[in-house]
């Protein structure tokens, strides 16, 4: 079963000097970790929304909390306990929070294979974090519209892959504080909206924003655009 | 051998209490389908009544019920046409040749229902439903919530188990101690809701008994866990006082004023014995049980060994600082060294966040002040305690204390008690 781990900062976390390299190597070697990348700090995030056919691009992340997503990892674990073991071993479980989200298979039809790239260093430059937003006008993206958006992205080389996540009710939060492993129900922010998926995008900022503004989820929620850190080795 | 209808009904009720978790858990293990397991377990118990009346109560009711539930599961799966159902059907059929019921079925069920990735209130509801076989209506009544709320919680828990792939198993030895703590906490929560309900009636014995049954299960099936034994000892000792805790007028009677002959001495003996065997490991439940055992062993309230109790509280606080334990320690210090020591110990606590709004803080202070003869201040503190008492019985107790100080507001002239029955809140 596939899980996305959101690596999130947490002001209440305990400072740790441990670098994630050992963690990456260990779980790569076991074939559990499929891929993952750290993101540039949240200061450079953009949030894209489409309301009444107007594209609204705002600076900053979708949630205005002190904590934010610092990276993601995609893993293949036997069950939640194994996913928890993987998440708990990450240094950011001590310094921040790890949110575990089961991935949902979403069949959008032919020509839309949601196969993320492999390896440590994805070709993509951006991660789009799709998010629901209760305050958005009622709008349910049609499967065909999403499929068309994916096909267009694949054809133009913008869309590199993505994952659709199971609802936030199935999120599990893992933290290490002191000697204790804290496993709790829920997502890293208790806001009314929730992350519903991720997509990998290639292109320059403006191209990425243009492409994301056509994502159906920009209408029913928002899309946070985040650049990958490139100094990661 | 045939049985009369009354005997069959009694046997079935006993089997429901003892075997529901095994029947339900077996189908979960075989098919991985919690919904199906519930329907099949229900069906097996429904079919048992006419069959047992006709053929007599089977020698091993549990095995009979598991077989009936499994047959039902295979029937249902045959009628479904999906590939997953076919796989589940094969799994359910193959088990025909396995010895059954599997011994640790209920332990596996308890650990899954109490998985820390589930919301706490769902863990409680799901454990009572899946392991204890309580209906949603019974759970709703016990927790004074709506039946819809309870079924929503159970549904949500079952969905998350399936969607997030929460494994159906007892955790591996490395993770077991950590997870066991969560299991024991859920059982303790269930007991406390029965022992000292957050509102409404003064006690709900059935819920307390269910918690004891769960604690017995964990203790029996995880015999190497002294904390499980410690929790069981603690619950037995607290439950042994249930008859003496409620006076003729329906009011709570404090430990000091309880008629000790009304304690359930079989439970006291068992609890004290278990507490002794758990104490060497010295975990938090074992230490709390040791405190309860000290009270149980004292022939009268006045002859309580407060010196030992203070020492036990010191050991508890050394494990983890806990303001509720510190407050109970203040009471014990007061009993050992007098009211001024109690007042000093309470004031030393300061105002920790976890004790904000806790009625016991002003009550313990009031008690010390009263014994020091500072009656005006004592009355002030009792009034503060009364204002934030969690239920009517406790509020009336404080009204009585005020009346005993010569304050208006009560016609009851019973002498003032010194301490609340404080051991229950040491979580």
């Amino acid at each position: 079963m596939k899980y996305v781990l959101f690596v999130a900062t947490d002001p209440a976390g305990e400072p740790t000097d441990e670098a994630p390299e050992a963690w990456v190597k260990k779980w790569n070697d076991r074939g559990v970790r499929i891929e993952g990348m750290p993101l540039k700090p949240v200061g450079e995030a953009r949030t894209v929304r489409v309301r009444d056919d107007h594209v609204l691009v705002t600076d900053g992340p979708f949630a205005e909390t002190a904590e934010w997503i610092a990276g993601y990892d995609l893993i293949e674990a036997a069950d939640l306990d194994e996913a928890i073991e993987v998440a708990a071993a990450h240094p950011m479980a001590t310094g921040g929070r790890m949110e575990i989200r089961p991935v949902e298979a979403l069949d959008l039809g032919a020509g839309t294979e949601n196969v993320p790239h492999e390896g440590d260093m994805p070709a993509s430059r951006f991660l789009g974090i799709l998010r629901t937003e209760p305050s958005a006008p009622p709008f349910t993206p049609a499967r065909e519209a999403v499929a068309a958006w994916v096909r267009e992205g694949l054809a133009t080389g913008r869309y590199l892959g993505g994952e659709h996540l199971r609802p936030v009710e199935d999120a599990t939060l893992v933290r290490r504080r002191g000697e204790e492993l804290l496993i709790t129900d829920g997502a890293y922010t208790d806001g009314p909206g929730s992350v519903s998926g991720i997509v990998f995008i290639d292109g320059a900022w403006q191209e990425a924003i243009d492409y994301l503004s056509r994502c159906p989820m920009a209408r029913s929620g928002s899309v946070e655009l985040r650049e990958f850190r490139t100094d990661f080795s | 051998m045939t049985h009369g209808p009354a005997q069959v009904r009694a046997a079935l009720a006993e089997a429901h209490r003892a075997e529901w978790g095994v029947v339900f858990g077996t189908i979960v293990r075989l098919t991985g389908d919690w919904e199906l397991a519930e329907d099949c377990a229900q069906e097996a118990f429904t079919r048992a009544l006419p069959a047992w009346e006709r053929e007599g109560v089977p020698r091993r009711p549990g095995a009979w019920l598991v077989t009936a539930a499994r047959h039902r599961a295979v029937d249902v799966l045959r009628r479904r046409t999906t590939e997953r159902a076919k796989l589940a059907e094969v799994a359910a059929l193959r088990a025909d040749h396995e010895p059954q019921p599997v011994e640790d079925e209920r332990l596996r069920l308890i650990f899954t229902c109490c998985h820390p990735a589930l919301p706490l209130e769902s863990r409680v509801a799901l454990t009572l439903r899946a392991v204890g076989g309580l209906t949603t209506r019974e759970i709703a009544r016990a927790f004074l919530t709506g039946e819809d709320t309870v079924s929503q919680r159970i549904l949500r828990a079952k969905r998350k188990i399936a969607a997030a792939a929460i494994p159906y198993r007892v955790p591996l030895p490395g993770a077991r101690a950590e997870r066991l703590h969560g299991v024991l906490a859920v059982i303790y929560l269930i007991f406390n809701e029965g022992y000292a309900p957050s509102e409404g009636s003064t006690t709900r014995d059935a819920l307390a008994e269910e918690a004891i049954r769960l604690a017995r299960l964990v203790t029996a099936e995880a015999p190497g866990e002294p904390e499980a034994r410690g929790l069981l000892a603690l619950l037995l000792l607290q439950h042994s006082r249930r008859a003496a805790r409620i006076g003729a007028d329906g009011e709570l009677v404090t430990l000091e004023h309880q008629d000790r002959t009304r304690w359930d001495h079989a439970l006291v003996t068992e609890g004290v014995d278990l507490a002794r065997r758990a104490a060497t490991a010295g975990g938090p439940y074992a230490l709390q049980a040791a405190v309860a055992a000290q009270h149980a062993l004292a022939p009268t309230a006045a002859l309580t060994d407060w010196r030992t109790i203070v020492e036990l509280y010191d050991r508890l606080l050394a494990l983890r600082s806990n303001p509720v334990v510190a407050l109970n320690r203040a009471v014990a210090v007061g009993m050992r060294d007098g009211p001024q020591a109690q007042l000093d110990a309470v004031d030393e606590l300061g105002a920790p966040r976890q004790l904000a709004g806790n009625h016991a803080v002003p009550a313990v202070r009031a008690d010390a002040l009263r014994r020091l003869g500072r009656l005006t201040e004592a009355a002030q503190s009792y009034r503060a305690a009364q204002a934030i008492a969690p239920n009517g019985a406790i509020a009336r107790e404080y009204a009585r204390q005020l009346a005993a100080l010569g304050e208006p507001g009560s016609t009851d002239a019973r002498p003032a008690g010194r301490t609340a029955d404080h051991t229950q809140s040491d979580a």
Side-chain angles (χ1 to χ4, degrees):
Chain A
M1 182 151 184
K2 270 191 202 165
Y3 299 85
V4 166
L5 308 182
F6 283 117
V7 183
T9 64
D10 180 358
E14 292 162 5
T16 170
D17 294 334
E18 205 184 327
E21 280 80 6
W23 179 87
V24 168
K25 184 173 180 342
K26 174 180 173 181
W27 296 105
N28 277 351
D29 290 351
R30 293 197 190 178
V32 170
R33 182 174 176 276
I34 299 168
E35 61 169 49
M37 281 294 284
L39 297 165
K40 283 194 173 174
V42 76
E44 291 169 48
R46 301 283 188 283
T47 298
V48 180
R49 293 181 179 84
V50 177
R51 300 288 183 268
D52 298 327
D53 288 326
H54 292 292
V55 179
L56 311 170
V57 181
T58 45
D59 283 353
F62 58 76
E64 288 171 32
T65 61
E67 61 216 45
W68 41 274
I69 293 176
Y72 82 96
D73 288 279
L74 179 65
I75 63 166
E76 173 84 53
D79 52 39
L80 185 63
D81 280 0
E82 193 185 3
I84 288 170
E85 190 193 345
V86 176
H90 195 287
M92 279 297 278
T94 304
R97 303 160 172 234
M98 302 289 290
E99 177 181 327
I100 300 174
R101 293 286 295 273
V103 163
E104 188 164 63
L106 187 67
D107 184 3
L108 293 172
T112 59
E113 290 88 344
N114 276 5
V115 184
H117 40 269
E118 288 176 4
D120 262 341
M121 197 56 146
S124 62
R125 298 189 51 194
F126 298 103
L127 181 69
I129 302 169
L130 309 181
R131 188 166 192 269
T132 62
E133 208 172 86
S135 58
F139 174 85
T140 309
R143 186 167 295 247
E144 301 73 49
V146 180
W149 179 75
V150 170
R151 283 196 204 95
E152 181 215 326
L154 285 169
T156 57
R158 295 277 170 276
Y159 183 96
L160 297 171
E163 292 291 353
H164 191 254
L165 305 178
R166 292 205 50 92
V168 72
E169 284 81 27
D170 297 327
T172 301
L173 207 56
V174 176
R175 285 165 292 164
R176 262 193 193 286
R177 297 292 182 266
E179 293 301 297
E180 237 182 321
L181 176 61
L182 307 169
I183 302 161
T184 43
D185 178 54
Y188 84 100
T189 51
D190 289 329
S194 63
V195 175
S196 66
I198 58 177
V199 289
F200 308 96
I201 304 135
D202 199 5
W205 264 110
Q206 196 51 49
E207 289 173 329
I209 287 172
D210 283 350
Y211 178 59
L212 279 177
S213 70
R214 293 199 294 281
C215 174
M217 270 305 288
R219 284 181 186 276
S220 57
S222 61
V223 182
E224 178 180 327
L225 187 63
R226 296 282 300 279
E227 195 171 358
F228 285 115
R229 254 172 65 185
T230 47
D231 53 354
F232 180 68
S233 54
Chain B
M1 180 185 157
T2 54
H3 298 72
Q7 279 170 294
V8 170
R9 266 170 221 283
L12 192 60
E14 175 52 31
H16 194 274
R17 263 193 302 277
E19 309 286 355
W20 170 273
V22 176
V23 178
F24 178 83
T26 304
I27 307 302
V28 169
R29 175 169 49 84
L30 294 175
T31 65
D33 187 332
W34 290 61
E35 236 33 88
L36 178 72
E38 175 140 16
D39 291 346
C40 294
Q42 201 74 64
E43 178 80 13
F45 280 95
T46 309
R47 285 185 179 184
L49 187 63
W52 293 5
E53 276 176 353
R54 206 168 49 239
E55 297 153 22
V57 176
R59 206 161 41 84
R60 290 166 58 215
W64 189 100
L65 288 160
V66 166
T67 306
R70 223 186 45 233
H71 287 162
R72 175 78 188 155
V74 171
D75 280 351
V76 173
L77 290 166
R78 274 199 184 132
R79 256 177 274 133
R80 291 186 194 167
T81 49
T82 64
E83 192 181 353
R84 268 186 65 185
K86 294 276 168 259
L87 288 171
E89 185 192 325
V90 171
L93 276 172
R94 192 181 300 145
D96 257 332
H97 311 293
E98 273 177 29
Q100 40 107 1
V102 177
E103 280 308 315
D104 66 356
E105 207 65 75
R106 283 171 301 196
L107 196 60
R108 208 188 304 226
L109 205 48
I110 289 183
F111 271 100
T112 309
C113 292
C114 297
H115 197 281
L118 296 172
L120 187 61
E121 65 270 22
S122 293
R123 275 184 243 167
V124 169
L126 192 65
T127 305
L128 288 172
R129 177 79 201 106
V131 188
L134 270 68
T135 62
T136 47
R137 177 183 302 224
E138 286 169 323
I139 299 167
R141 203 180 296 148
F143 285 89
L144 301 170
T145 46
E147 221 175 307
D148 287 349
T149 312
V150 172
S151 25
Q152 275 307 312
R153 281 176 189 168
I154 293 175
L155 186 72
R156 169 148 156 47
K158 285 195 285 202
R159 264 203 45 221
K160 179 152 180 176
I161 286 170
I166 290 175
Y168 180 59
R169 63 153 183 256
V170 178
L172 301 171
R176 182 142 155 184
E178 210 161 46
R179 295 289 167 88
L180 183 75
H181 182 78
V183 169
L184 299 181
V186 166
I187 295 174
Y188 193 56
L189 198 69
I190 293 171
F191 180 85
N192 262 353
E193 197 54 35
Y195 181 84
S198 35
E199 51 181 310
S201 62
T202 42
T203 57
R204 283 192 283 274
D205 284 349
L207 206 55
E209 274 154 23
E210 186 56 36
I212 288 173
R213 211 171 66 80
L214 291 169
R216 278 192 199 283
L217 271 178
V218 176
T219 308
E221 297 184 37
E225 309 283 4
E227 273 295 88
R229 207 178 294 142
L231 176 68
L232 176 58
L234 179 63
L235 303 194
L236 290 172
L237 289 167
Q238 290 185 8
H239 198 56
S240 72
R241 302 186 199 128
R242 68 191 177 285
R245 284 179 72 224
I246 311 295
D249 51 1
E251 298 298 275
L252 274 177
V253 181
T254 57
L255 187 56
E256 190 186 8
H257 294 288
Q258 284 172 17
D259 173 359
R260 292 174 181 233
T261 61
R262 297 188 67 206
W263 287 356
D264 183 331
H265 291 280
L267 291 189
V268 167
T269 308
E270 190 188 354
V272 167
D273 179 52
L274 279 165
R276 278 209 180 104
R277 287 194 287 143
T280 44
Y285 288 116
L287 287 170
Q288 290 177 73
V291 171
Q294 283 304 324
H295 287 297
L297 289 168
T300 66
L303 290 172
T304 306
D305 183 354
W306 292 105
R307 190 169 303 276
T308 302
I309 290 176
V310 172
E311 281 167 21
L312 289 165
Y313 278 134
D314 285 339
R315 283 174 66 191
L316 255 174
L317 287 169
L319 287 181
R320 179 176 296 179
S321 84
N322 176 332
V324 176
V325 174
L327 181 65
N328 285 336
R329 182 187 171 277
V331 174
V333 166
M335 299 307 281
R336 187 187 64 179
D337 304 333
Q340 186 60 51
Q342 177 165 322
L343 191 62
D344 293 345
V346 176
D347 289 342
E348 244 171 60
L349 289 179
R353 196 162 41 86
Q354 295 100 312
L355 287 180
N358 188 323
H359 65 102
V361 179
V364 171
R365 233 178 154 267
D367 171 62
L369 290 164
R370 180 185 58 76
R371 288 158 67 202
L372 286 167
R374 290 157 65 175
L375 300 186
T376 313
E377 290 164 273
Q380 219 167 8
S381 278
Y382 275 128
R383 269 192 294 269
Q386 192 184 8
I388 52 175
N391 63 42
I394 294 175
R396 284 191 293 278
E397 170 65 25
Y398 294 138
R400 265 205 303 272
Q401 309 274 14
L402 278 167
L405 289 175
E407 291 284 316
S410 170
T411 51
D412 193 327
R414 222 161 55 165
R418 267 186 190 157
T419 58
D421 183 0
H422 59 274
T423 50
Q424 62 94 9
S425 48
D426 285 352

